[in-house]
Amino acid sequence: MIKLKNSVENLEAYFVNDIPCRVKLDANEGSNYLLNEGLCFDDLKANLYPDSDSVELREKLSLYYNCKSENILMGNGSSELINMVINAYCEKGEKVLSFIPSFSMYQTYCDLCGATYIGVNTNEDFTQDIDKLIEKVNELNPKIVILCNPNNPTGYITPRNDVIKLLDSVKNSLIIVDEAYADFFENSVVDLINSYENLIVMRTLSKAFGLAGLRVGSLIANENLVKYVWKVKVPYNLNILSQYGALKALNSIELVKSYIQNIKDLRLKLSQDLRNLNFTVYESGANFIFTKSPVDNLFEKLMSCGVLIRKFNFNGKVYNRITIGTKEENEILLEEIKNIIEG
Ligand SMILES: *Cc1c(COP(=O)(O)O)cnc(C)c1O
């Protein structure tokens, strides 16, 4: 075999577990409510390249994100954009700082390009000490700081004042605020992109819009920064079907608000029901909850009855992240948990 370059030779490939299940609450995907009647592609010109700049889509998204289309760069999911930015900014060995636990992909993308990922521990209850992060930035002088808000997998909401404190304190690093779940908690800092020249906000249609399969993400920043990063965008990165589907979905934007409200109501109910069963449930600003189960091996036991959640190990303890499903899905989850507890 021809050898890969040294920096990637020893990496483990990222495989997504696609265990068959009847209730899927492991990946924070939303319901299929915007395109539930399918898509009609009759007038689609598949022979032509897609609009490489996603002009129409950026126009439409700028209304939702409350910025100008010039502030947006589209990606094949926000994952592509996070990878693109880390790869474009970090020389081998340059540092990327983030709270830990947070989104595990940050580490993956750092490994891919040879950047050094450094996690700053959250408090024991998974709240975050922003002063500690700022202190580490001053000490280590990273190229990039990533703040996931609300945080995946813990659901923690960084108060707006803390985000501003970070922005005011850090001038020599790029600051990425990953707002994959910000639709569920009106705490976005998109309104600050013109006040901080080093701020990049990442948004996605994969969670609150329930369009994870279309792979549509947005990088939002001031115009100069967007133009600057545009240099490394792969041409035609958003295919014709994704652009078409996203535009169609965005015609029903009023449905998104009620969907989000519904998820919040269901989150409150599921949190209470689980607390009644002696679970620890951390406060969450997203479409999932982070929990500590009173029974061992909950993940494995639920999987054996067709309910898929996520399992995490932190400091030698096991936690579970559970996506808020539909009312019916949450009822099945609770039923199975009760069965497990009663043994
Ligand atoms: C889901 C998720 C993303 C990536 O979403 P895409 O599907 O690639 O747009 C990015 N960050 C966090 C924290 C996520 O949970």
Side-chain angles (χ1 to χ4, degrees), residues 27-28 75-82 102-106 109 148-153 178-181 202-207 211-213 215-218 288 321:
N28 304 338
N76 196 249
S78 57
S79 305
E80 185 196 29
L81 294 164
I82 297 167
S102 193
F103 193 38
S104 62
M105 284 287 194
Y106 306 148
Y109 295 134
C148 184
N149 190 28
N151 189 39
N152 179 9
D178 183 350
E179 297 191 337
Y181 302 96
M202 298 289 185
R203 303 288 297 254
T204 178
L205 299 187
S206 294
K207 310 289 160 59
L211 300 173
R215 313 301 302 122
V216 180
S218 304
F288 58 82
R321 190 193 68 195

Side-chain angles (χ1 to χ4, degrees), residues 36-213:
N36 55 1
E37 284 173 2
L39 282 170
C40 172
F41 287 123
D42 285 351
D43 55 348
L44 204 74
K45 297 193 174 62
N47 60 316
L48 302 181
Y49 284 103
D51 172 7
S52 186
D53 299 343
S54 305
V55 172
E56 222 185 318
L57 185 53
R58 282 163 53 231
E59 206 53 65
K60 211 155 207 166
L61 280 170
S62 70
L63 302 175
Y64 178 71
Y65 292 134
N66 227 333
C67 61
K68 292 196 289 180
S69 63
E70 290 83 358
N71 296 124
I72 304 180
L73 188 156
M74 301 306 304
N76 196 249
S78 57
S79 305
E80 185 196 29
L81 294 164
I82 297 167
N83 181 38
M84 192 191 286
V85 169
I86 294 176
N87 193 31
Y89 279 86
C90 292
E91 306 276 5
K92 195 167 181 302
E94 285 193 301
K95 298 175 192 116
V96 176
L97 220 66
S98 160
F99 277 116
I100 188 168
S102 193
F103 193 38
S104 62
M105 284 287 194
Y106 306 148
Q107 166 98 57
T108 307
Y109 295 134
C110 286
D111 292 346
L112 279 174
C113 73
T116 303
Y117 179 79
I118 299 173
V120 176
N121 282 319
T122 56
N123 301 320
E124 204 154 327
D125 61 357
F126 301 110
T127 57
Q128 300 171 355
D129 180 349
I130 204 76
D131 292 323
K132 188 171 159 190
L133 183 66
I134 293 167
E135 204 175 290
K136 279 282 176 198
V137 172
N138 290 332
E139 182 190 324
L140 299 169
N141 194 24
K143 194 70 186 266
I144 302 178
V145 180
I146 309 180
L147 183 74
C148 184
N149 190 28
N151 189 39
N152 179 9
T154 62
Y156 178 77
I157 302 150
T158 311
R160 184 177 168 90
N161 280 345
D162 280 0
V163 185
I164 291 176
K165 195 171 187 185
L166 178 71
L167 289 164
D168 282 334
S169 312
V170 177
K171 297 296 168 196
N172 297 320
S173 312
L174 192 68
I175 299 186
I176 300 177
V177 182
D178 183 350
E179 297 191 337
Y181 302 96
D183 308 84
F184 297 101
F185 195 86
E186 282 92 67
N187 197 20
S188 173
V189 290
V190 167
D191 62 310
L192 299 180
I193 51 172
N194 293 313
S195 310
Y196 298 93
E197 60 162 34
N198 56 342
L199 169 63
I200 285 180
V201 179
M202 298 289 185
R203 303 288 297 254
T204 178
L205 299 187
S206 294
K207 310 289 160 59
F209 286 72
L211 300 173

Side-chain angles (χ1 to χ4, degrees), residues 147-297:
L147 183 74
C148 184
N149 190 28
N151 189 39
N152 179 9
T154 62
Y156 178 77
I157 302 150
T158 311
R160 184 177 168 90
N161 280 345
D162 280 0
V163 185
I164 291 176
K165 195 171 187 185
L166 178 71
L167 289 164
D168 282 334
S169 312
V170 177
K171 297 296 168 196
N172 297 320
S173 312
L174 192 68
I175 299 186
I176 300 177
V177 182
D178 183 350
E179 297 191 337
Y181 302 96
D183 308 84
F184 297 101
F185 195 86
E186 282 92 67
N187 197 20
S188 173
V189 290
V190 167
D191 62 310
L192 299 180
I193 51 172
N194 293 313
S195 310
Y196 298 93
E197 60 162 34
N198 56 342
L199 169 63
I200 285 180
V201 179
M202 298 289 185
R203 303 288 297 254
T204 178
L205 299 187
S206 294
K207 310 289 160 59
F209 286 72
L211 300 173
L214 288 186
R215 313 301 302 122
V216 180
S218 304
L219 176 158
I220 308 179
N222 70 72
E223 270 183 60
N224 288 336
L225 188 45
V226 167
K227 274 198 205 127
Y228 192 58
V229 178
W230 204 289
K231 297 191 215 200
V232 294
K233 187 182 88 68
V234 180
Y236 311 121
N237 58 334
L238 217 54
N239 74 63
I240 208 164
L241 302 179
S242 297
Q243 293 190 42
Y244 185 89
L247 278 167
K248 269 269 157 29
L250 287 166
N251 285 335
S252 334
I253 201 99
E254 72 287 352
L255 290 179
V256 178
K257 294 248 151 68
S258 55
Y259 175 76
I260 288 170
Q261 189 52 52
N262 186 238
I263 291 291
K264 288 180 181 171
D265 294 343
L266 292 168
R267 182 179 70 204
L268 183 64
K269 174 151 183 5
L270 184 60
S271 301
Q272 283 166 346
D273 289 342
L274 289 175
R275 284 187 184 117
N276 289 340
L277 296 172
N278 292 323
F279 277 67
T280 304
V281 180
Y282 296 85
E283 197 201 338
S284 168
N287 66 338
F288 58 82
I289 47 176
F290 192 65
T291 68
K292 177 119 196 48
S293 161
V295 287
D296 290 338
N297 302 323

